[in-house]
């Protein structure tokens, strides 16, 4: 089952149509290749399920697929001892595929939405890798709002806390097309964090879309207009993690990864200022980790 099987012409046409629907999202080539490979794997598996009872290969049709078959597919992957990340990624791709088919009128139902990803054992926050970051941001770009795109890019590239993201006001940001900064207010102190091009451009697009005169919460509920709560932000982050098939990550992983990477090129006191640490010993944990990796690579 782990071997890629040839799929029918009908199956290939559906995959190509799905991939074409993503063209305007400007996803990176690796993400597109993973989507295509995941869908070929499932459709190939499905079409050959009837080989024991008939001479010809089954032809893929959305309405043939039920929740039980998707669960059987997941169980088959688990029996092969595939990595949980691989299984979750394939299931996440199917969720996107069946959601696309449902909204395009190609299927009368979306059975994939009822299939759960494998549970992930919780532990200490880990860093988000470069590939995982690309996959996550591609997923948000493909399926998220301008608000969600700006919010996740900001958290990834500045390391701000979830509560700090919730408390940001429109007046706290200063952006141009290539750069900018945000001001984080904590009590009587304010720290300014520079923005890279990705953050600045995403925030500029988002703020322009608000069409609101005056100040107000930067990241607000699309239903109430009130500022997002920390719980809402964590839910949003988790939603895209699931869609991207990522595991073992949380909103805090963004801050953890940012601090670790920044420690490789930033002085202790400067890093403490950017991170908003009141105690240098907290900042030292990032510096020590960076030094240990450097020694390990010598």
């Amino acid at each position: 089952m782990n071997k890629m099987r040839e799929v029918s012409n009908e199956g290939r046409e559906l995959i190509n149509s799905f991939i074409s629907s993503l063209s305007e999202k400007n996803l990176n080539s690796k993400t597109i290749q993973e989507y295509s490979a995941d869908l070929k794997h499932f459709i190939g598996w499905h079409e050959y399920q009837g080989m024991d009872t008939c001479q010809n290969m089954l032809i893929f049709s959305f309405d043939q697929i039920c929740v039980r078959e998707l669960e059987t597919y997941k169980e088959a992957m688990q029996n092969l001892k595939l990595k949980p990340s691989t299984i979750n990624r394939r299931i996440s791709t199917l969720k996107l595929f069946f959601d696309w088919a449902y909204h395009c009128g190609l299927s009368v139902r979306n059975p994939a939405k009822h299939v759960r990803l494998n549970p992930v054992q919780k532990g200490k926050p880990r860093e988000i890798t470069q590939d995982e970051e690309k996959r996550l941001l591609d997923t948000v770009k493909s399926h998220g709002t301008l608000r969600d795109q700006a919010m996740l890019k900001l958290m990834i590239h500045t390391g701000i806390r979830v509560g700090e993201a919730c408390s940001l006001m429109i007046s706290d940001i200063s952006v141009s097309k290539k750069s900018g900064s945000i001001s984080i207010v904590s009590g009587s102190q304010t720290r300014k964090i520079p923005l890279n091009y990705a953050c600045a451009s995403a925030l500029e697009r988002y703020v322009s879309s608000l069409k609101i005169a005056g100040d107000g919460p930067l990241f607000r509920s699309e239903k109430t207009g009130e500022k997002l709560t920390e719980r809402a932000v964590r839910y949003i982050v988790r939603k895209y993690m699931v869609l991207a098939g990522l595991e073992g990550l949380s909103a805090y992983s963004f801050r953890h990864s940012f601090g670790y990477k920044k420690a490789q090129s930033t002085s202790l006191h400067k890093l403490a200022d950017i991170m908003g640490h009141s105690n240098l010993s907290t900042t030292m944990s990032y510096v020590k980790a960076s030094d240990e990796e450097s020694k390990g690579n010598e």
Side-chain angles (χ1 to χ4, degrees):
M1 178 219 157
N2 199 34
K3 183 180 179 181
M4 187 77 72
R5 294 190 173 112
E6 189 66 28
V7 303
S8 65
N9 290 332
E10 290 81 358
R12 284 197 297 272
E13 288 177 3
L14 286 172
I15 293 173
N16 291 336
S17 295
F18 172 69
I19 296 300
S20 295
S21 73
L22 302 175
S23 60
E24 63 182 25
K25 305 297 183 180
N26 295 320
L27 304 183
N28 69 56
S29 59
K30 184 175 181 180
T31 299
I32 295 296
Q33 289 170 2
E34 287 179 342
Y35 282 158
S36 181
D38 290 343
L39 293 176
K40 286 179 181 177
H41 189 275
F42 170 72
I43 292 177
W45 174 85
H46 164 76
E47 291 184 333
Y48 279 85
Q49 290 309 293
M51 290 295 285
D52 291 338
T53 57
C54 62
Q55 295 297 318
N56 298 319
M57 181 178 68
L58 294 174
I59 302 301
F60 181 82
S61 170
F62 281 109
D63 293 332
Q64 296 170 350
I65 311 299
C66 61
V67 177
R68 182 57 205 157
E69 180 165 8
L70 293 175
E71 292 287 0
T72 300
Y73 174 64
K74 186 171 77 169
E75 290 170 4
M77 288 190 289
Q78 291 171 332
N79 290 337
L80 286 175
K81 307 298 182 182
L82 297 182
K83 293 180 180 180
S85 59
T86 300
I87 297 174
N88 284 348
R89 191 199 69 221
R90 286 178 177 172
I91 296 300
S92 297
T93 298
L94 290 178
K95 286 179 178 290
L96 298 177
F97 185 53
F98 278 88
D99 182 69
W100 165 79
Y102 176 76
H103 285 95
C104 288
L106 299 176
S107 177
V108 297
R109 60 185 183 278
N110 179 6
K113 70 179 181 181
H114 301 293
V115 181
R116 295 185 178 183
L117 299 183
N118 289 324
V120 178
Q121 185 176 3
K122 294 183 179 181
K124 293 182 179 180
R126 70 170 177 83
E127 293 176 59
I128 182 170
T129 67
Q130 188 173 4
D131 285 344
E132 288 172 333
E133 180 183 313
K134 287 180 179 179
R135 185 174 180 86
L136 177 61
L137 291 179
D138 276 344
T139 300
V140 182
K141 187 174 184 179
S142 179
H143 304 282
T145 62
L146 289 176
R147 180 202 66 187
D148 295 351
Q149 292 176 44
M151 184 169 64
L152 265 70
K153 281 187 178 180
L154 183 66
M155 293 174 68
I156 288 173
H157 294 294
T158 65
I160 61 174
R161 302 176 178 91
V162 171
E164 293 172 339
C166 294
S167 298
L168 280 172
M169 305 291 284
I170 295 176
S171 59
D172 291 328
I173 69 169
S174 174
V175 297
S176 64
K177 290 185 177 180
K178 294 185 178 181
S179 63
S181 65
I182 58 171
S183 298
I184 303 294
V185 180
S186 180
S188 60
Q189 296 184 333
T190 300
R191 75 181 195 273
K192 188 166 288 189
I193 305 175
L195 301 176
N196 60 18
Y197 173 79
C199 282
S201 57
L203 282 169
E204 186 178 45
R205 288 194 301 272
Y206 167 58
V207 172
S208 297
S209 74
L210 292 177
K211 298 179 181 179
I212 296 175
D215 203 6
L218 178 60
F219 299 121
R220 57 189 72 197
S221 167
E222 295 172 348
K223 292 182 179 180
T224 67
E226 299 294 324
K227 76 173 185 177
L228 290 176
T229 63
E230 291 189 33
R231 181 178 181 182
V233 172
R234 295 184 194 283
Y235 172 81
I236 290 169
V237 171
R238 178 58 186 163
K239 177 180 72 173
Y240 293 114
M241 293 287 190
V242 170
L243 283 175
L246 303 179
E247 58 178 286
L249 295 166
S250 66
Y252 184 70
S253 297
F254 303 151
R255 180 171 171 81
H256 180 70
S257 300
F258 174 83
Y260 177 79
K261 293 174 184 175
K262 202 71 175 176
Q264 299 178 36
S265 59
T266 309
S267 67
L268 176 65
H269 285 82
K270 181 63 176 177
L271 181 61
D273 182 57
I274 293 174
M275 300 289 288
H277 291 155
S278 58
N279 192 326
L280 285 179
S281 63
T282 303
T283 316
M284 277 301 299
S285 63
Y286 292 104
V287 176
K288 287 180 179 178
S290 178
D291 289 343
E292 288 174 0
E293 180 177 344
S294 297
K295 292 178 180 178
N297 292 331
E298 290 178 354

